[in-house]
Amino acid sequence: MPGGASGETWRDSLWHSSPPGSIYDYIKVASFSIGPDGLIDQWSLRAEELFGLTAAEAVGRDPVDAFMPPELRAGAHRRVAEILDGKEWTGLIPFRIPGGDGAHGVAEIYVMPTQTETAERAALCVVVDVRALRRIESDLAASQAIFGQSPFGFLLFGTDLTVQRANRRFATVFGGAAEEHRGRTVHDYLPAHEADRMAEALRRVLETGDSVNDLQITGAAPGSRDNRHWSINLYRVHGGTGRPIGVAGIGIDVTRRHLAAREAAGVRRNLALLNEAGHRIGNSLDLETTARELLDVTVPGFCDLAAVDLYQGLLLGDDDRPARPQGPGVPSLPGQGPGRAPSAPLRRVAFSSAVSDAPLSGPGALVSVGEVHRYPAGSPGAFALRTARPRLVEGGGPESGDLVQSTLVVPLVAHDTVVGLAQFSRTKGSEPFGERDRAVAVELAARAAVCIDNARLYRREHERALILQRSLLPPGDPEAAGLDIACRYLPGNAATEVGGDWFDVIELPGHRTALVVGDVMGRGLRAAVAMGELRTAVRTLALLDLEPAEVLTALDEIARGLGAPGGSQQASRAALSRDADRSEVYLATCVYAVYDPVTRRCTIANAGHMPPVLVEPVEEGGTPRPGLLLEIPTGMPLGVGGEPFEEVEVELPEGALLALYTDGLVESRTHPLEEGLRGLRDALADPSRPLEEVCDHVLNTLDTRHGEDDIALLMARVQGLPVDAVGDWQLPREARSVGRARELARAKLPAWGLEGLLDTTELLVSELVTNALRYGEGEIRLRLLLDRTLVCEVWDANLVQPRRRRARDTDEGGRGLQLVGLLSAGWGTRRTHRGKTVWFELPLPGAVAESVTELSAEQLLSMYG
């Protein structure tokens, strides 16, 4: 070899190729030599360790006499002689270690003939302790068993990170024989990104000596597209001197464990998803909101894209859906017959996306939120609607491009009726849907469908209750004699349901007016129906012309009977028996006021309702003052029973403003009732403005929190009847009063421009005064009132009510009330504090078509025969 640096490097590498601590140190190789005389002439240090003799003790001695038992010495001497004659020999030789302690062993000796410088024959002996060899063989066998027979993939990487050795298990997975993998790297087995991770881990272990446990690596075996998961453990391997010689790696296939863990994680995720759905879906009774709640739960936790379609008829409140089943176990479908493709249109009510703003496509066209569409007969959506079974569609289809990889089309089925369709899609890069996902989607759709159907039923009930409620309110702008009327009604929103608030303006005889405001406690159709019954009852009682307290007493009995099948009597018996728990309780508050435009007095009774507010007129140049809460005894609500009602008579000055309202106007969860009442009084401080403006000002000023409750507001400005529109006379109890009454009527009507009513009025006044003289008591009072009609009232002190009867042919009288009924637009009687009043009403000429201007001959004959 040439000298220089390269030669030194080569010599250094030769020297370090067999460092101390090599295999020879483990097998304990010793050597000594025998001279031509058969005696030991050289003794190595390793021989000293093996045999326990120093060189001074061994050199010059006969090896046979020194180490072998006496019985073997003869044969041994012959062997030595043969060796010195030039013959090689190998074998096992028992030996004893001098020292007298009896130690002995077996040595494997290799004898090689040699020559001295003088050409004399000698021998070189290489001795190995058989015990060390056996230990090495045992260790190698154990190592081979662990490495070769391991059920796990085993690799030994050199310091250059190439495979030095692979076991059979590794070769079985990655193909070929174990020897064929020598020299390969991790990039020959794994994808680039995983191979880089593995190589970095190998370098770190080799440099630091820190082991790596459970390194998760993913890759595919040769010839397979299925990814496998391995858990890799790496540790550094050292030589006898402690020098690193490579890295050992053990790979365990944990694919099943990984799949099981992923399955368990999927189950936990789905359970959490269903639990979340139970809390978040159905919090609203709105169809569209419930559909959006479903998508809020599923995107992105369950899918990447989702949409909900509902039948258009369902959204519009159309319940004409077939109730018959479409086959065994198949729910009924809106808008179709058995076996036909769905013909009813659907509307997309919700869409959500975690990856794109583009709407989820239906077959054939893009569908936007709010758009009405139909699914073609052969589409997955049509199949799901027709069969009420979910469909799993692989791939996005032409309308979705390359974005979607799988879609679950799930019908929304509630109470055996399909109400719509939900679509859940996962994009490429996400895990495709499996059977467990199908089951979860069906469960989510079922929960949403029940909530949607409940919302549909609620919407239907709410709309019906609202229609009923509005139908029971006064139509148009109410009119009343001596009053300017304005009213407002604001129903609660869909979340608060329909309430039982109502108001009414009822015309009473004598141009009087009943003002009513009430509130049935509770919500929904039940409250609306109860309100309708009470309102009808109020109108019926008003026709009887009862006092306000009497009206509320009768209403209380009616309210108590609403919850009992047998009416108020049954309710009274139920209150005293065990059936009280089974009787529904209908409670309501109500204020009933009767205004007389002649006297400008208002009689008011209250059943647990908000007190009316009275605003007195502002004098010219005066300062507006807040309204006053009328101090009227607040009785118990209607339906409680057992407590009498009181009434109060209040005088209303000209131009005064009276406001009746329900608690929704002044009461809220955010502020106390006193604050709301104070705000109402301040908002009514200036009653001189037009009444419609006053109503709007009140609603705009107060913090009504509209939507929390229904609001009813009834306002009346007092005008009164002019003095010249009233004729009032006292008549003595004598026969000439009949003629006097005719004269007064004949004198008053021309002043009012009612000459066309003279004859009829004179005849009817004569009949009523005659009856008062014949059947009444005390002084007689005649009153004529002019407003939108002409009203005549005759008062007397007798409480007995007259009644209309059919006179016999032979009777000379008894036909007066028949004439009154035929010639007037209406007549009646009412009780007063000091007797009774009989009245009739005539329409003014030109105001309405006069139904009766004169009696025909047939009518006159019918009265007398």
Side-chain angles (χ1 to χ4, degrees):
M1 293 289 293
S6 60
E8 294 176 0
T9 303
W10 177 79
R11 286 193 296 271
D12 291 341
S13 63
L14 276 181
W15 171 253
H16 289 294
S17 63
S18 298
S22 64
I23 188 63
Y24 299 104
D25 296 321
Y26 291 101
I27 62 177
K28 294 183 178 181
V29 178
S31 64
F32 62 91
S33 62
I34 301 174
D37 56 0
L39 301 179
I40 299 173
D41 59 2
Q42 288 184 355
W43 190 256
S44 67
L45 294 178
R46 186 64 64 83
E48 290 183 4
E49 296 176 6
L50 180 62
F51 295 106
L53 295 175
T54 64
E57 295 173 332
V59 173
R61 296 183 63 179
D62 185 342
V64 175
D65 295 337
F67 303 112
M68 302 195 64
E71 63 273 12
L72 300 177
R73 291 175 182 173
H77 283 297
R78 288 194 302 268
R79 292 290 185 185
V80 173
E82 292 176 357
I83 292 171
L84 292 177
D85 287 341
K87 185 178 181 181
E88 292 185 359
W89 181 81
T90 301
L92 297 176
I93 300 176
F95 67 92
R96 62 180 179 82
I97 300 175
D101 57 359
H104 63 279
V106 177
E108 185 172 349
I109 187 170
Y110 303 90
V111 183
M112 295 168 285
T114 62
Q115 289 184 347
T116 65
E117 295 177 355
T118 59
E120 293 181 294
R121 295 186 180 277
L124 175 63
C125 300
V126 178
V127 183
V128 179
D129 190 348
V130 175
R131 294 173 299 175
L133 288 176
R134 297 296 179 265
R135 285 195 299 270
I136 291 175
E137 290 175 355
S138 177
D139 291 344
L140 287 175
S143 177
Q144 181 62 31
I146 294 174
F147 188 84
Q149 301 175 22
S150 172
F152 310 121
F154 209 132
L155 287 177
L156 180 62
F157 295 91
T159 55
D160 59 352
L161 302 185
T162 61
V163 176
Q164 300 298 313
R165 190 175 181 187
N167 70 344
R168 187 168 54 241
R169 175 59 181 168
F170 183 86
T172 301
V173 175
F174 286 92
E179 293 76 12
E180 296 177 3
H181 294 275
R182 188 184 301 274
R184 295 183 179 179
T185 67
V186 292
H187 287 83
D188 295 320
Y189 306 107
L190 299 173
H193 65 283
E194 291 289 69
D196 291 340
R197 290 180 57 231
M198 181 75 172
E200 178 60 28
L202 287 170
R203 278 191 292 270
R204 188 168 61 251
V205 172
L206 187 62
E207 293 171 359
T208 65
D210 297 333
S211 61
V212 172
N213 297 318
D214 196 23
L215 175 64
Q216 297 293 318
I217 296 294
T218 303
S224 174
R225 294 184 178 180
D226 297 332
N227 276 338
R228 310 294 294 178
H229 299 268
W230 291 285
S231 173
I232 306 298
N233 298 301
L234 303 175
Y235 60 92
R236 192 168 66 181
V237 180
H238 303 83
T241 60
R243 181 175 59 88
I245 63 173
V247 177
I250 301 176
I252 303 173
D253 191 338
V254 293
T255 303
R256 291 185 179 179
R257 186 175 70 188
H258 180 82
L259 293 177
R262 188 173 63 181
E263 192 81 3
V267 171
R268 289 193 297 269
R269 182 178 65 251
N270 291 340
L271 289 176
L273 187 69
L274 293 175
N275 182 62
E276 183 183 7
H279 287 87
R280 296 182 59 183
I281 299 177
N283 293 323
S284 170
L285 287 174
D286 180 74
L287 293 169
E288 292 84 352
T289 302
T290 303
R292 287 192 294 269
E293 289 171 347
L294 171 62
L295 302 194
D296 290 342
V297 170
T298 55
V299 178
F302 179 71
C303 60
D304 301 315
L305 299 162
V308 175
D309 299 322
L310 298 180
Y311 278 106
Q312 176 76 345
L314 180 143
L315 294 169
L316 298 177
D318 181 12
D319 288 332
D320 293 335
R321 296 178 294 166
R324 61 184 184 277
Q326 305 301 306
V330 179
S332 60
L333 309 176
Q336 69 173 78
R340 296 204 306 268
S343 59
L346 299 100
R347 185 198 304 172
R348 178 145 297 175
V349 296
F351 169 76
S352 181
S353 170
V355 296
S356 174
D357 293 332
L360 187 66
S361 300
L366 296 177
V367 181
S368 302
V369 174
E371 184 176 346
V372 178
H373 67 101
R374 287 180 172 86
Y375 285 101
S379 65
F383 175 86
L385 291 172
R386 184 173 60 253
T387 63
R389 296 186 181 92
R391 283 291 302 272
L392 176 59
V393 182
E394 297 294 343
E399 69 280 351
S400 297
D402 297 329
L403 177 65
V404 176
Q405 73 163 342
S406 62
T407 299
L408 275 171
V409 183
V410 185
L412 300 173
V413 183
H415 308 114
D416 292 334
T417 300
V418 176
V419 298
L421 191 71
Q423 295 184 69
F424 308 102
S425 296
R426 289 181 179 174
T427 58
K428 293 184 178 179
S430 300
E431 183 179 355
F433 287 116
E435 286 301 319
R436 180 171 282 106
D437 295 320
R438 183 198 297 257
V440 172
V442 170
E443 177 65 21
L444 290 171
R447 294 190 181 193
V450 171
C451 295
I452 288 173
D453 197 54
N454 290 340
R456 175 187 67 84
L457 295 174
Y458 166 77
R459 174 181 287 186
R460 183 181 64 183
E461 179 181 341
H462 181 270
E463 290 177 351
R464 291 178 178 178
L466 194 59
I467 292 173
L468 173 62
Q469 184 184 46
R470 289 175 174 172
S471 68
L472 296 174
L473 296 176
D477 297 326
E479 295 181 355
L483 291 176
D484 184 13
I485 302 292
C487 54
R488 293 290 187 275
Y489 176 75
L490 300 178
N493 57 29
T496 57
E497 304 184 30
V498 171
D501 295 15
W502 91 92
F503 68 90
D504 208 346
V505 179
I506 307 171
E507 294 185 38
L508 299 178
H511 290 312
R512 294 172 304 131
T513 303
L515 305 175
V516 188
V517 171
D519 184 3
V520 177
M521 299 181 186
R523 299 194 175 280
L525 189 60
R526 172 180 176 271
V529 171
M531 178 269 284
E533 295 190 26
L534 290 178
R535 178 179 179 274
T536 302
V538 169
R539 281 191 159 269
T540 302
L541 294 171
L543 294 178
L544 299 177
D545 214 351
L546 300 176
E547 297 295 328
E550 295 177 333
V551 171
L552 294 186
T553 300
L555 278 179
D556 180 59
E557 290 293 328
I558 294 172
R560 294 174 63 193
L562 291 179
S568 58
Q569 295 182 355
Q570 182 67 26
S572 301
R573 288 193 294 269
L576 302 175
S577 66
R578 298 178 180 177
D579 294 336
D581 294 338
R582 295 191 295 270
S583 298
E584 289 188 86
V585 178
Y586 286 81
L587 299 179
T589 62
C590 181
V591 61
Y592 186 88
V594 175
Y595 172 69
D596 189 339
V598 178
T599 63
R600 292 186 179 87
R601 288 182 174 273
C602 186
T603 306
I604 308 174
N606 190 347
H609 201 78
M610 295 285 104
V613 177
L614 176 63
V615 185
E616 296 184 353
V618 180
E619 298 180 0
E620 186 176 355
T623 302
R625 290 174 295 177
L628 300 175
L629 297 177
L630 294 181
E631 297 181 357
I632 301 173
T634 303
M636 299 298 291
L638 303 177
V640 175
E643 295 293 332
F645 297 98
E646 300 182 40
E647 60 188 39
V648 173
E649 190 174 71
V650 180
E651 186 170 353
L652 303 180
E654 183 78 14
L657 186 65
L658 182 66
L660 307 179
Y661 53 94
T662 56
D663 57 0
L665 182 66
V666 295
E667 192 172 23
S668 173
R669 293 191 297 267
T670 60
H671 59 255
L673 177 61
E674 292 75 11
E675 182 180 337
L677 291 173
R678 184 168 57 252
L680 174 61
R681 293 170 54 203
D682 294 340
L684 294 172
D686 185 8
S688 60
R689 289 183 296 179
L691 203 55
E692 294 293 334
E693 292 184 11
V694 176
C695 282
D696 295 336
H697 177 69
V698 168
L699 295 177
N700 294 331
T701 302
L702 295 182
D703 184 14
T704 60
R705 300 283 179 176
H706 175 49
E708 292 184 0
D709 195 3
D710 291 2
I711 296 175
L713 175 61
L714 178 60
M715 304 182 71
R717 175 177 286 128
V718 176
Q719 294 177 342
L721 289 180
V723 176
D724 57 358
V726 179
D728 197 348
W729 305 278
Q730 298 287 341
L731 299 175
R733 191 169 187 78
E734 54 189 33
R736 63 186 182 88
S737 293
V738 176
R740 177 61 179 164
R742 287 198 298 268
E743 293 175 359
L744 292 172
R746 180 170 288 275
K748 191 67 175 175
L749 263 61
W752 289 343
L754 301 179
E755 292 84 353
L757 298 180
L758 278 176
D759 295 337
T760 304
T761 303
E762 184 178 358
L763 174 61
L764 297 184
V765 166
S766 175
E767 289 292 338
L768 293 187
V769 173
T770 300
N771 283 341
L773 287 174
R774 183 175 300 176
Y775 305 107
E777 297 177 359
E779 200 173 45
I780 300 172
R781 181 181 179 184
L782 172 64
R783 190 166 74 170
L784 295 177
L785 306 175
L786 176 63
D787 193 69
R788 290 171 297 165
T789 60
L790 175 65
V791 174
C792 175
E793 297 177 332
V794 176
W795 299 11
D796 68 79
N798 193 340
L799 294 176
V800 178
Q801 301 275 343
R803 61 186 181 88
R804 183 177 177 178
R805 64 183 179 85
R806 186 173 185 83
R808 294 188 296 269
D809 296 343
T810 57
D811 291 341
E812 296 182 1
R815 297 174 178 86
L817 292 181
Q818 286 183 276
L819 280 173
V820 174
L822 288 173
L823 294 177
S824 66
W827 75 279
T829 66
R830 70 175 184 272
R831 291 180 180 177
T832 64
H833 294 293
R834 293 181 296 273
K836 68 175 181 296
T837 299
V838 183
W839 58 270
F840 68 85
E841 184 177 14
L842 294 175
L844 301 182
V848 295
E850 298 180 15
S851 57
V852 179
T853 57
E854 61 181 12
L855 293 179
S856 63
E858 291 78 7
Q859 290 174 321
L860 289 172
L861 291 175
S862 67
M863 294 173 58
Y864 291 91

